[in-house]
Amino acid sequence: VFCCPSGLFCCGHRRLYHLPLGDKPRTGTSPLRVIQNSMQTILTRLSEKMRALRSCPYFTGLGDEILAELVPGLRLIRYERGEVIFWQDEPCPGLQIIERGMVKLFKLSPQGRELIVNIFKEGATFAEVPVFDGGANPVNAAALEESDIWQLDTAEIRSLLQKHPEMSKQIMLNL
């Protein structure tokens, strides 16, 4: 829970709840307003997934047979403007590759202020560190506009790294 000038916020899994200042609960109702996530998975073809993997600097130079092993863990997700992609300290869902749109990485101060760490645009990747070190998300991420983001499952990447150690060199060159 944190406070800001417009009211109180509390976070749940992929949801942000807001209690505006001055609102009084009606009997039998909750004053909390849910800021909904409308995240949706977009159906994609194998050729689109392969193109996305080839365009990612961590996988350039890898053969199609290795990239094909990553395909089952890759999905394209659409986020609405302002929608949270992931929260700080949650387990990392995977490597994020922006197909379309813009994303901000941010932290929240104890007073509820947003401290923007970075802004990424189309073609950029983020969440690399927790994918490769196995840690939790070090920051929050949210869409600044409607965004389509490829998410490559952390477990798929780590499994393939063990199976194909040659991937490690390409990843280290791009970190």
Side-chain angles (χ1 to χ4, degrees):
V1 175
F2 56 94
C3 186
C4 72
S6 68
L8 294 174
F9 286 90
C10 63
C11 305
H13 183 69
R14 291 206 176 278
R15 289 197 177 150
L16 185 61
Y17 299 90
H18 182 238
L19 173 60
L21 288 177
D23 276 11
K24 294 181 182 174
R26 288 180 271 146
T27 306
T29 64
S30 171
L32 288 176
R33 294 189 184 139
V34 178
I35 300 171
Q36 290 287 343
N37 262 9
S38 57
M39 168 185 88
Q40 66 183 64
T41 300
I42 300 169
L43 292 176
T44 54
R45 286 178 260 162
L46 174 62
S47 60
E48 293 171 303
K49 290 182 175 189
M50 291 295 284
R51 181 194 49 76
L53 290 169
R54 282 188 203 105
S55 71
C56 181
Y58 297 108
F59 308 122
T60 53
L62 296 177
D64 284 352
E65 57 283 341
I66 294 175
L67 294 178
E69 292 181 56
L70 288 169
V71 166
L74 184 65
R75 64 187 183 137
L76 185 60
I77 304 170
R78 177 162 295 148
Y79 295 92
E80 298 300 321
R81 180 176 190 252
E83 191 170 358
V84 173
I85 298 164
F86 56 72
W87 292 107
Q88 181 176 342
D89 297 325
E90 284 187 348
C92 179
L95 179 67
Q96 312 290 318
I97 306 166
I98 303 173
E99 176 75 16
R100 178 182 67 86
M102 199 168 6
V103 171
K104 67 178 173 182
L105 301 184
F106 66 100
K107 290 186 173 249
L108 294 172
S109 74
Q111 296 78 28
R113 289 195 177 127
E114 227 178 60
L115 308 168
I116 295 177
V117 175
N118 211 336
I119 294 177
F120 293 107
K121 297 179 181 178
E122 182 178 316
T125 61
F126 60 99
E128 295 93 334
V129 173
V131 166
F132 298 121
D133 76 3
N137 294 318
V139 295
N140 305 295
L144 285 171
E145 60 190 30
E146 184 179 82
S147 300
D148 295 340
I149 301 172
W150 292 100
Q151 184 181 85
L152 182 55
D153 183 66
T154 299
E156 292 283 340
I157 296 171
R158 299 182 118 234
S159 170
L160 211 60
L161 279 169
Q162 289 181 346
K163 190 174 176 183
H164 300 282
E166 65 273 20
M167 283 179 60
S168 299
K169 182 179 178 187
Q170 187 62 31
I171 288 168
M172 286 189 293
L173 290 172
N174 285 288
L175 271 178

